[in-house]
Amino acid sequence: MSTTQDRRAVILDNAAHLFAAKGIVATTVREIADSVGILSGSLYHHFKSKDEMVDAIISDYLTDLTNRYAKVLASKESPATQLRELVTSSLANIEAHPHATEIYQNSSAYLPTIKGYEHIRESAASIQRAWIQVLEAGIARGDFRDDIPVRVLHGMLRDSLWLSVRWFKPTPSYSMASFADDFVSVYLDGILAHD
């Protein structure tokens, strides 16, 4: 990797940390530059604007996620297995991109204002289609209940999964994999005690 690519990666990593902690609007270009030890003007040699940094961070995050989902859908496993794999893939993506996940969740009003939002919107639609496809397949096979509208099921799964970034932190005694198993179990088996 070239020095320029290394510097861009460091800038994006620091910017993602600041955007997640303070919000995009509250984070200044000067703060990002200071965090990597360069002058504000030097930052513009790597990125044209703060929004270009946001787009790069979110695009990388969503590209990684859509690639993970494409592998799940290509597996041709049962819908229940694919649901488990969507959850596991999502949580792996959260681990790989924790700051981007927070930015994406916390900046829904800001993201549509940036140049390049079309790619973000298309990726989000692709992600939603993956979940809907798996849920509809499970309903069609009789594996999942059919008395709740698919979009409602999707919304419940989506929000409880993605908003977990705000409160769940893996520990040595309770890993991300354990969380994924329990998450899927609650949705597929419920919370009632088993006989």
Side-chain angles (χ1 to χ4, degrees):
M1 187 182 291
S2 75
T3 304
T4 300
Q5 289 174 317
D6 287 342
R7 180 56 62 119
R8 281 179 60 90
V10 169
I11 291 168
L12 287 177
D13 186 53
N14 282 275
H17 176 77
L18 288 166
F19 294 153
K22 297 183 64 175
I24 297 168
V25 174
T27 302
T28 66
V29 170
R30 179 180 296 274
E31 288 173 311
I32 297 167
D34 288 348
S35 74
V36 293
I38 62 176
L39 298 173
S40 299
S42 299
L43 199 61
Y44 293 108
H45 293 294
H46 302 281
F47 297 96
K48 295 175 186 172
S49 66
K50 183 167 67 169
D51 284 354
E52 186 178 341
M53 288 181 255
V54 173
D55 182 48
I57 292 163
I58 298 301
S59 292
D60 184 47
Y61 161 75
L62 291 175
T63 297
D64 191 9
L65 186 60
T66 55
N67 288 340
R68 291 174 193 267
Y69 282 10
K71 289 178 185 172
V72 170
L73 297 179
S75 72
K76 304 300 181 194
E77 296 285 346
S78 71
T81 298
Q82 285 187 331
L83 180 67
R84 183 176 306 277
E85 289 174 0
L86 286 177
V87 169
T88 302
S89 296
S90 299
L91 293 172
N93 210 56
I94 288 172
E95 274 193 310
H97 307 275
H99 300 310
T101 303
E102 288 188 57
I103 296 164
Y104 188 72
Q105 296 305 315
N106 296 334
S107 304
S108 60
Y110 185 85
L111 293 177
T113 70
I114 67 172
K115 184 177 178 181
Y117 178 70
E118 298 76 25
H119 168 70
I120 294 170
R121 187 181 64 237
E122 289 167 11
S123 294
S126 173
I127 290 163
Q128 180 179 6
R129 281 192 303 272
W131 285 93
I132 298 292
Q133 178 180 329
V134 169
L135 292 170
E136 287 178 341
I139 291 168
R141 281 179 39 140
D143 295 344
F144 302 155
R145 55 191 291 182
D146 64 359
D147 60 324
I148 300 173
V150 172
R151 295 208 181 273
V152 173
L153 282 173
H154 169 252
M156 289 190 292
L157 284 162
R158 178 198 62 218
D159 289 351
S160 58
L161 179 64
W162 291 108
L163 295 179
S164 71
V165 72
R166 294 181 180 165
W167 61 269
F168 175 72
K169 303 296 179 225
T171 66
S173 62
Y174 192 76
S175 67
M176 190 66 87
S178 296
F179 180 66
D181 289 343
D182 289 342
F183 184 94
V184 173
S185 175
V186 165
Y187 273 95
L188 293 182
D189 304 325
I191 63 170
L192 295 178
H194 300 283
D195 293 332

